[in-house]
Amino acid sequence: MQYNTIEELEEYFKGEIERVSQNEIKKIQKEIENIKNKNIKELEETARSNAEIIVSQEVKSMDSEHAISLSRMADDNQRKLMKKRQDLINNLFVEIREKLIGYTKTSDYKEKMKEKISLLSSQYHSDGLLRLAEKDMSLADELLESFGGQITVKSDESIEIGGFILEFHQDRIIINETYDARLKEEREMFYANPELIIG
């Protein structure tokens, strides 16, 4: 399945979580109903043969057992849902990362980098330092042509996917246009979005 935008991926994720949650909830409700029916039947048989005080004790015991069982099942379900959510998030961001890596091999990527660098060089007029991923160093000459002022290019091991970091030391400005940083921000926003938290 292919996703063209982060929104589509988020919609897929929301749908998958909702489906898994509903299935787990239905299973829990069915188990609870079975336990309840079983316990009620046993209680009715006991009530016929025992005094009222014994029945009262059995009801208390059943309620306690039922509460413990319900709590245990809810905890188990929450753990399963959280693991499923984590697996989906991990798979989603691995897929996004692979698509971004694929994109960095296209001519569109190079053109987009040139446009951004040209735009930034028109906004900041001091000398700059351009940091690129080692794999993008082959684009350095073309990117330098897009820069209006003086610029030095350096490879940066922290950039794994692609993009660039542009530093203007005189202006004390660092602009991070890396896909690594963007993907990290998106992941943090994904976790922070309360609609995506399973309760």
Side-chain angles (χ1 to χ4, degrees):
M1 184 175 287
Q2 289 220 328
Y3 307 100
N4 295 318
T5 65
I6 295 295
E7 289 79 15
E8 287 178 359
L9 293 170
E10 287 177 353
E11 283 302 313
Y12 166 75
F13 178 79
K14 286 179 190 176
E16 186 66 11
I17 290 297
E18 181 63 27
R19 185 185 66 73
V20 172
S21 296
Q22 290 303 318
N23 287 343
E24 289 298 325
I25 289 167
K26 284 177 186 173
K27 285 181 192 173
I28 287 173
Q29 288 173 335
K30 190 172 180 181
E31 282 185 55
I32 289 169
E33 193 61 33
N34 288 343
I35 290 170
K36 183 179 171 186
N37 290 339
K38 181 182 171 196
N39 285 339
I40 289 172
K41 186 175 178 182
E42 289 174 0
L43 180 60
E44 287 171 349
E45 290 170 6
T46 303
R48 281 192 281 273
S49 60
N50 291 309
E52 192 175 305
I53 194 158
I54 294 172
V55 172
S56 176
Q57 289 171 346
E58 287 295 322
V59 169
K60 286 178 186 174
S61 174
M62 183 192 78
D63 285 346
S64 175
E65 233 177 78
H66 187 64
I68 291 167
S69 177
L70 183 61
S71 175
R72 193 175 294 131
M73 282 191 289
D75 287 346
D76 288 347
N77 182 53
Q78 188 66 16
R79 273 192 294 277
K80 286 177 189 172
L81 290 175
M82 290 309 291
K83 184 181 182 321
K84 180 67 175 173
R85 178 180 189 264
Q86 189 61 47
D87 290 346
L88 285 170
I89 289 172
N90 289 341
N91 292 340
L92 176 69
F93 280 93
V94 164
E95 188 174 335
I96 293 170
R97 188 176 196 281
E98 291 306 312
K99 285 185 176 183
L100 286 171
I101 288 170
Y103 174 70
T104 64
K105 296 173 183 172
T106 66
S107 59
D108 285 348
Y109 167 70
K110 180 172 64 174
E111 291 306 313
K112 187 62 100 173
M113 294 257 286
K114 287 164 73 172
E115 285 173 22
K116 285 183 179 179
I117 288 170
S118 177
L119 177 66
L120 290 169
S121 72
S122 68
Q123 293 173 354
Y124 304 98
H125 302 292
S126 62
D127 294 347
L129 171 63
L130 179 65
R131 296 182 180 273
L132 298 172
E134 181 61 40
K135 67 184 181 73
D136 287 337
M137 288 301 287
S138 60
L139 305 175
D141 290 339
E142 286 184 72
L143 296 175
L144 284 173
E145 291 172 12
S146 304
F147 194 80
Q150 288 291 90
I151 191 167
T152 306
V153 181
K154 189 175 179 183
S155 72
D156 187 332
E157 291 179 9
S158 72
I159 306 172
E160 295 178 0
I161 300 172
F164 62 87
I165 298 171
L166 192 51
E167 299 177 13
F168 297 98
H169 293 293
Q170 285 177 306
D171 296 328
R172 295 183 181 164
I173 292 171
I174 297 175
I175 300 163
N176 190 333
E177 287 285 341
T178 64
Y179 291 115
D180 305 75
R182 182 65 196 272
L183 191 62
K184 183 180 177 188
E185 286 170 17
E186 288 295 330
R187 190 175 188 121
E188 286 168 1
M189 282 171 44
F190 209 74
Y191 277 114
N193 186 345
E195 292 177 12
L196 300 176
I197 295 172
I198 301 169

